[in-house]
Each structure stands twice: as C-alpha cells, then as structure tokens.
Amino acid sequence: MNGAPLDAEADPWPCPRLSAHPPRHSGAPVADIDWTKPQPVRLRVVDHTCSCRVVVYELLSCGGHYMIRRLHQTDPPKSLYAGPWPRPVAERVWKLVLTGEAW
C-alpha cells in the first residue's frame, strides 16, 4: 500500500489492493480476444483482477482447459468468455490481459 488512508466517504467503493490492475486501454490491442457467451459449465476461478474496476477479468479452469471471463459489473452484470485453451495458451493470453495488451 502507498500509506495513504482509505477514506470510505471519499471513495464509496474502495480498492482492496489485493489483485492485479490491468492498465487502462489506450489505442488498439496487440492481440484481440474473441469474446462469446458459452453454455454455463462448472468453472473454478484460478486468478482474477481487482474488483475495484467496472470490468473484472477472471482466469477460469474448466475440465482440464482454461478460459477467461470478462465481467462487467453493471446492473445486471454481463459476462463474456474467451477460450477454452490448453493451460500454456491460456497463461499467455492471461498475461496479455494483465499487461493491457489484449482485451
């Protein structure tokens, strides 16, 4: 943490400062991800970005393959998915998301 106190009145949705914060998008992505709405399946969250942003990304495990969920925290929430991929491919795409090079 940067030592600054969290003021709940100044920020009604304070950042818990526990997860990655992908950089804001500025220009075209290096890699473009194909987002879809798949059938619901059993998923396990492996990693995620911070929930203080409107858009949260989650790396998901699903039966030996991996996907990425893009969750828009709106009312109602909207979820889009990319994948499934084998683990090495999913980890490369996840790193692109975390660095702001893909979205």
Side-chain angles (χ1 to χ4, degrees):
M1 289 188 10
N2 62 7
L6 295 176
D7 185 354
E9 290 182 9
D11 188 359
W13 195 351
C15 176
R17 303 172 196 259
L18 297 175
S19 301
H21 291 83
R24 305 249 188 241
H25 303 146
S26 59
V30 172
D32 198 14
I33 298 174
D34 184 24
W35 298 100
T36 62
K37 290 186 114 181
Q39 298 291 326
V41 295
R42 295 180 67 135
L43 304 168
R44 181 177 57 88
V45 177
V46 176
D47 198 5
H48 58 87
T49 61
C50 191
S51 62
C52 72
R53 302 257 175 105
V54 173
V55 178
V56 176
Y57 295 94
E58 297 173 322
L59 177 61
L60 307 168
S61 172
C62 51
H65 286 87
Y66 291 81
M67 302 176 74
I68 296 176
R69 175 172 32 211
R70 183 173 73 187
L71 173 62
H72 293 258
Q73 299 186 96
T74 56
D75 190 19
K78 297 175 194 167
S79 294
L80 295 171
Y81 298 81
W85 303 291
R87 184 177 183 154
V89 175
E91 287 177 345
R92 279 196 304 269
V93 176
W94 182 242
K95 287 178 184 175
L96 290 172
V97 168
L98 292 178
T99 59
E101 297 179 63
W103 60 86

